[in-house]
Amino acid sequence: PYRLLTSRAEYRLLLRHDNADLRLREYGYKAGLIDETRYNKFLNKKEKIEHLKTLLKIHKITPTKEVNEFLESIHSALLKDGITLYDLLKRPEINMDIIKKYVDLSDYNREVLNQVEIFIKYEGYIVKAMKDAEKMNNLDNKLIPEDIDYYKIHNIASEAKQKLNEVRPTSIGQALRISGVNPTDISILMVYLKKEYHHE
């Protein structure tokens, strides 16, 4: 089910419907499923997204009376120093319609505006999820010997030993995704592999 329903996926913050084309269209083009017209439209969207991020990072507003009065009216913290529009947009009460008050965004369609707003507001979480996904990919590359006897590994929980023995995962990443096997069990398993199999 987790492959069909993103709410059950390990990294659901990355598997959003709004960024499906950014994640998958490149693969579709390489597989011959996307024609040149749609692909060029996709490349233009990517370029617009990056351009808008850069624009918001270099465009700053200063704590003028008018700016602070407006921020106060929407219950947002007043400015004491200059701030980039990129950082201002991170505030929960600020959206792209407000950002438009301080910079011309007429070159960007709503799809691009929404994509950039979502990325900026959740950037910290998204970056963390990407690092976790990369870490998991690395664990998927750490193979487990076929002849391993999980019952010989001390300190692993009994339930974890039983599950590992039943499933017989081929990698650390696969073992970590088994229900009933927790990160502590995985840490002990990795120490055991390094000691007994000189596993890196």
Side-chain angles (χ1 to χ4, degrees):
Y2 78 92
R3 297 187 186 280
L4 299 175
L5 307 173
T6 54
S7 63
R8 298 289 299 276
E10 292 96 336
Y11 306 108
R12 51 188 174 276
L13 191 59
L14 303 179
L15 305 177
R16 309 186 312 272
H17 68 86
D18 64 275
N19 69 358
D21 60 337
L22 296 175
R23 291 184 287 107
L24 303 173
R25 190 147 291 177
E26 192 75 48
Y27 296 105
Y29 177 72
K30 289 178 180 178
L33 303 174
I34 305 295
D35 61 35
E36 289 293 335
T37 301
R38 290 179 67 190
Y39 184 64
N40 287 331
K41 184 178 178 182
F42 159 72
L43 292 179
N44 182 62
K45 177 184 175 181
K46 281 183 67 175
E47 185 179 341
K48 287 282 188 182
I49 286 172
E50 293 308 315
H51 187 274
L52 179 53
K53 286 180 188 176
T54 301
L55 177 68
L56 297 179
K57 284 178 179 177
I58 63 176
H59 200 99
K60 296 183 74 172
I61 58 171
T62 54
T64 64
K65 181 181 178 183
E66 181 184 5
V67 167
N68 276 334
E69 283 180 349
F70 173 74
L71 292 176
E72 187 176 25
S73 73
I74 61 172
H75 309 291
S76 187
L78 304 185
L79 297 184
K80 294 180 180 178
D81 300 300
I83 187 174
T84 66
L85 294 179
Y86 190 96
D87 287 332
L88 184 67
L89 188 55
K90 291 179 179 179
R91 298 184 178 188
E93 64 277 1
I94 303 294
N95 56 38
M96 278 296 186
D97 290 329
I98 291 174
I99 295 297
K100 286 178 182 178
K101 292 169 59 70
Y102 305 108
V103 65
D104 180 14
L105 300 179
S106 58
D107 284 344
Y108 308 96
N109 62 32
R110 177 50 62 179
E111 190 178 5
V112 170
L113 294 176
N114 287 343
Q115 186 62 225
V116 171
E117 182 173 342
I118 290 170
F119 178 85
I120 292 174
K121 286 192 177 297
Y122 295 97
E123 181 178 18
Y125 300 103
I126 290 172
V127 170
K128 183 180 183 301
M130 291 175 71
K131 287 181 178 177
D132 288 345
E134 185 179 347
K135 192 182 295 182
M136 181 59 74
N137 284 336
N138 291 335
L139 292 178
D140 281 332
N141 292 328
K142 294 183 182 295
L143 303 180
I144 298 175
E146 293 181 9
D147 63 346
I148 189 170
D149 183 351
Y150 293 104
Y151 290 101
K152 287 184 177 180
I153 308 175
H154 302 298
N155 300 322
I156 285 185
S158 297
E159 182 187 6
K161 288 180 182 179
Q162 182 181 345
K163 292 290 182 68
L164 289 166
N165 196 55
E166 287 175 1
V167 177
R168 307 299 300 179
T170 59
S171 71
I172 296 293
Q174 186 182 346
L176 187 57
R177 289 190 283 265
I178 298 173
S179 175
V181 178
N182 63 49
T184 302
D185 297 319
I186 295 299
S187 296
I188 295 170
L189 172 59
M190 291 178 70
V191 170
Y192 178 82
L193 290 174
K194 191 170 184 179
K195 181 181 176 182
E196 300 296 326
Y197 293 87
H198 307 291
H199 197 279
E200 292 299 329

